[in-house]
Amino acid sequence: MSPRPTNILTIALGSIFVALIVLGLKFLAYTMTGSVALYSDALESIINVAAAIAAFIALNVAARPADANHPYGHTKAEYFSAVAEGVLIVLAALSIAREAIPVLLAPKVVDAPYAGILVNLGASAINAVWAALLLRTGRASRSPALLADGRHVMSDVVTSVGVLIGVVAAKLTGISYLDPLLALLVALNILWSGWGLVRESVGGLMDAAVDGKTEGRIRALLAEHGEGALEVHDLRTRHAGRMTFIEFHLVVPGAMSVEAAHAICDRLEDALRAEMPDVSITIHVEPQEKAKHHGVLVL
């Protein structure tokens, strides 16, 4: 069963506070070290704060019930926060590059005290724990907003570890250009992460179908529980946040009563909802003359 919306909103609100704590720690680490790579890491944390706020707002909107103006609900609102996060990520990457390129052209000696590095490491550890929670909850609730936030925070963890290794290497070897070079690599990694988030979210906004494995399971359930019907065709699916919409035509014998056809529909809906709790199902019943003989045969 998916976590209740109140639990999701609580976690989304927690993300804002965690992001603010991590942001403070990372800027503290930057001021202690003067490292442009650590500065780039701190800049990305600003995006984490903005993304957490956007996710919280989007989840509040998505939790609203269907109304006269939005009969299919508000679940697509989650995709907007993920797209906004992707745009913010691009802006962060450009800011990092702006800071790193001048230092790369005129390198300076990195004198990063280990205390500052440890502060950044502590912030990364907090991020890692929180990212794991966001990803687990996002998958369980099928929430694009929480998944986008979790993936971004986890990419931030990977970036931070790479930055810390590079800063320590620059300090130990005296190779000063390692610091700005790592900052540019961070910018590229952030751009890649942002592109992935935008691409996935746009797919949701464009009513992309469920993946092949899920569609195969849907077809198997229709065949398994469609006794009495002749065929299922014109199966269509789409995602909208945590909701999955399924539509199909159900062909039954022409002489079948409305009550019997309705019983088949109820049985199919119950089977689908047993495996996919957050689902909206639309079934169009047709007589056998409408069979296309290339759908899911449930005879």
Side-chain angles (χ1 to χ4, degrees):
M1 181 180 294
S2 299
R4 293 178 300 174
T6 51
N7 292 343
I8 296 174
L9 290 173
T10 300
I11 290 174
L13 183 61
S15 282
I16 299 174
F17 290 104
V18 171
L20 286 170
I21 292 170
V22 170
L23 173 63
L25 290 174
K26 288 193 173 182
F27 265 103
L28 175 61
Y30 161 64
T31 57
M32 294 172 69
T33 62
S35 165
V36 69
L38 291 185
Y39 176 71
S40 70
D41 200 18
L43 273 181
E44 187 179 6
S45 292
I46 296 177
I47 303 304
N48 288 351
V49 175
I53 294 172
F56 180 71
I57 294 172
L59 285 166
N60 270 284
V61 175
R64 295 175 185 173
D67 54 35
N69 292 325
H70 305 87
Y72 292 99
H74 300 76
T75 51
K76 276 193 175 183
E78 292 192 46
Y79 290 115
F80 288 103
S81 75
V83 171
E85 183 171 352
V87 173
L88 290 171
I89 287 172
V90 172
L91 294 176
L94 294 176
S95 298
I96 292 168
R98 186 184 64 181
E99 295 294 328
I101 290 174
V103 180
L104 183 63
L105 297 175
K108 59 181 180 180
V109 177
V110 176
D111 185 21
Y114 288 110
I117 293 173
L118 288 175
V119 169
N120 190 281
L121 184 61
S124 298
I126 294 173
N127 257 352
V129 173
W130 193 254
L133 176 64
L134 286 172
L135 290 172
R136 184 172 70 248
T137 306
R139 291 191 187 101
S141 61
R142 296 168 61 199
S143 167
L146 286 186
L147 279 173
D149 203 17
R151 287 170 183 164
H152 182 208
V153 174
M154 188 58 76
S155 72
D156 186 26
V157 173
V158 174
T159 297
S160 297
V161 172
V163 165
L164 287 172
I165 293 173
V167 170
V168 172
K171 180 177 176 62
L172 294 177
T173 63
I175 304 176
S176 54
Y177 64 80
L178 279 178
D179 186 42
L181 183 61
L182 276 168
L184 287 174
L185 291 176
V186 169
L188 290 174
N189 180 64
I190 294 172
L191 280 174
W192 179 252
S193 173
W195 162 247
L197 288 177
V198 171
R199 181 182 59 186
E200 186 173 323
S201 300
V202 168
L205 289 172
M206 295 295 292
D207 290 333
V210 300
D211 59 84
K213 181 179 179 181
T214 301
E215 182 176 333
R217 184 55 186 156
I218 291 171
R219 291 183 178 277
L221 287 170
L222 295 178
E224 182 180 351
H225 299 277
E227 182 180 357
L230 302 176
E231 180 186 272
V232 169
H233 61 243
D234 291 351
L235 172 65
R236 297 192 299 174
T237 63
R238 66 183 177 91
H239 278 310
R242 66 178 180 275
M243 289 295 298
T244 299
F245 291 84
I246 302 173
E247 302 176 18
F248 58 87
H249 292 202
L250 182 72
V251 180
V252 299
M256 179 175 283
S257 68
V258 173
E259 183 178 2
H262 189 267
I264 298 174
C265 293
D266 284 345
R267 191 166 65 245
L268 291 174
E269 289 179 1
D270 290 342
L272 290 168
R273 288 198 174 95
E275 291 203 14
M276 307 169 69
D278 297 314
V279 65
S280 175
I281 305 165
T282 302
I283 305 175
H284 179 67
V285 178
E286 296 181 328
Q288 62 191 75
E289 301 85 60
K290 297 290 186 177
K292 295 184 177 181
H293 305 297
H294 60 260
V296 177
L297 296 178
V298 294
L299 181 62

